[in-house]
Amino acid sequence: MHTIRQDQQWVMHIDTEWAGTTIESILAEKWQLPKKMVHRWRMDKAILLNGQPANWRQPLQPNDRLSVPFFQSGSFGGHPAPPSPSILYEDDHLIVADKPAGMKTHPNEPDEHHTLLNGVCYHVSLKGDVLPVRHVHRLDEGTSGAVLFAKHEAAYAALSRLLEKKEIFRTYYAVVDGHVLKKSGTITKPIGKDRHHPSRRRISQNGQTAVTHFERVAVQDGFSLLRCRLETGRTHQIRVHLASIGHPISGDALYGGSQISKYPLLHAEKLTIPHPFVNDCVTVSAPISESIKKLFLLTFFE
């Protein structure tokens, strides 16, 4: 299917695969967009078919031109502020940006303007767009790597749903203290808040379900390199889970890691995203952070 952005509209030229479907079924079943959004578009007659207000229940025909108002102007999720971050992937609907260790994913206070979200909004603003850019997930301040952002309201809804359904895969590299004996494993311990520390989490039988898969990649000088894949996205999940098996992330003072780095040596290396609006799967990798390469494991990333 051929698609193109025209101002605030996303224009789809219907092919034989989509012929016979209706606008109603595309919005509610294929894209599963929020009912409130769909209702607003219906009331505003914002969806056009061949340039005219559409009959939502009319079967689409090959070569029909369907226009959907994805790119309506809306307030940025954060105040646009330079510099622009390193952009790993971008299309009309989503952005994957590379977060350096030590930078917050998003502001926690109104006057914070030096987060990754601020930089992504600034990047989008340079193109003349004013869009409701939002982060779909987050990384801890000390964690580096790939973060997913939605560029419009429908993309945020669709990507958030995919994340909740565990259809977006996130892969991390972690340097941990000690020699991890198992070549691979799965940690399924529930995680809850630590009543004695405002920011720390702990293993708790009353906590939320958390699942982390890991694979040992290498061992060197008393440290192990693990590749981890998340099934769930609990706060500090990888940090808590690895500490719970006696191998805290190196540099992670909060969870007992050795102090060989200013930040935990945890890197979000890969995102695999089934694109909600394009019949494709997007895989994006973030270059391994220099702190991991230089300190221990340069030879494994060459």
Side-chain angles (χ1 to χ4, degrees), residues 9 23 45-54 65-69:
Q9 300 282 331
I23 294 171
K45 298 183 178 180
I47 294 182
L48 306 178
L49 184 62
N50 301 320
Q52 301 297 320
R65 188 163 42 89
L66 179 64
S67 302
V68 185

Side-chain angles (χ1 to χ4, degrees), residues 103-175:
M103 175 182 281
K104 292 182 179 180
T105 299
H106 59 84
N108 293 322
E109 303 293 339
D111 59 348
E112 282 189 279
H113 294 157
H114 301 291
T115 73
L116 187 65
L117 175 60
N118 296 118
V120 169
C121 290
Y122 176 72
H123 166 79
V124 172
S125 74
L126 293 177
K127 301 181 179 183
D129 281 327
V130 181
L131 295 170
V133 177
R134 298 173 67 182
H135 60 285
V136 177
H137 68 111
R138 60 181 294 276
L139 295 179
D140 296 335
E141 185 174 348
T143 303
S144 59
V147 181
L148 175 61
F149 294 83
K151 295 177 70 173
H152 56 78
E153 189 180 3
Y156 179 77
L159 291 167
S160 296
R161 175 179 53 80
L162 289 171
L163 189 70
E164 185 177 355
K165 292 175 65 177
K166 305 174 185 177
E167 294 181 20
I168 293 177
F169 294 103
R170 292 168 287 169
T171 305
Y172 293 72
Y173 277 119
V175 175

